[in-house]
Amino acid sequence: MKIYIGCDHGAFEAKEEVAKYLKKFGEIIDYGPYTNERCDYPVFAEKVARSVSLAKNDQVKGVLLCGSGIGVSMVANRFRNIRAALCRSEDEVKLARGHNDANILCLGARISKVSDIIKMCDLFFSTGFDQGRHTDRIKIFDNWGEKA
Ligand code: RB5
């Protein structure tokens, strides 16, 4: 698995923890930021979303974090082939993978505790897509959005 990650200042510390933890699932490409200085979440969300979108490969996924998780999810979902899911609970992560084949997990470091963020990341990368009727639904919209 290749995992692109990015965040903003609101989630820098959580992103560092996530980047360390996710090494067990594969190669990590950390698009930053690399300090907790104030920055703009669209810059980092675009980089991650573009890379995942261009890959068109289910072995390439992303994790995006900001204060709420809302801003990064808005940016990521503008790109074709991106199914970014903002999750607050493990139940949502299971559904995002099983039903929506989410390829980017979005998290809010000012909303969720780091320990819960790690648990949600763990589940995201260890839960498969249920396919079947869910595949047909994804096919309806997967080509919508900006071509990366
Ligand atoms: C930054 O202060 C904050 O607005 C950002 O991290 C995020 O929550 C945006 O959606």
Side-chain angles (χ1 to χ4, degrees):
M1 181 77 64
K2 194 168 189 173
I3 305 170
Y4 291 95
I5 66 170
C7 70
D8 74 354
H9 56 285
F12 174 73
E13 284 79 14
K15 186 265 286 176
E16 294 292 287
E17 293 298 316
V18 166
K20 262 188 267 166
Y21 184 78
L22 288 181
K23 280 184 187 154
K24 69 183 211 176
F25 290 105
E27 181 191 357
I28 308 299
I29 297 99
D30 181 353
Y31 278 143
Y34 308 112
T35 72
N36 63 359
E37 272 176 54
R38 197 187 316 176
C39 61
D40 300 320
Y41 65 81
V43 172
F44 303 93
E46 179 192 357
K47 288 181 184 178
V48 169
R50 240 179 235 291
S51 296
V52 176
S53 174
L54 284 169
K56 288 190 191 144
N57 178 336
D58 67 2
Q59 288 305 299
V60 178
K61 289 191 169 59
V63 177
L64 281 167
L65 306 100
C66 64
S68 63
I70 296 170
V72 288
S73 68
M74 288 180 170
V75 173
N77 277 315
R78 295 199 169 209
F79 290 86
R80 206 170 283 187
N81 316 310
I82 292 303
R83 298 175 303 280
L86 170 57
C87 295
R88 309 291 195 211
S89 68
E90 292 182 60
D91 281 346
E92 286 174 305
V93 174
K94 272 186 227 163
L95 287 168
R97 285 291 311 125
H99 288 197
N100 311 109
D101 197 17
N103 52 12
I104 297 186
L105 173 63
C106 299
L107 299 156
R110 291 178 182 155
I111 307 289
S112 304
K113 291 187 291 186
V114 175
S115 55
D116 292 335
I117 283 176
I118 295 291
K119 281 185 206 154
M120 288 190 274
C121 287
D122 204 36
L123 204 50
F124 187 78
F125 289 100
S126 53
T127 304
F129 175 43
D130 293 344
Q131 302 189 21
R133 66 188 189 282
H134 303 298
T135 305
D136 301 333
R137 291 166 184 157
I138 286 171
K139 276 187 190 156
I140 296 172
F141 71 91
D142 221 23
N143 255 343
W144 299 355
E146 183 179 332
K147 199 169 175 212

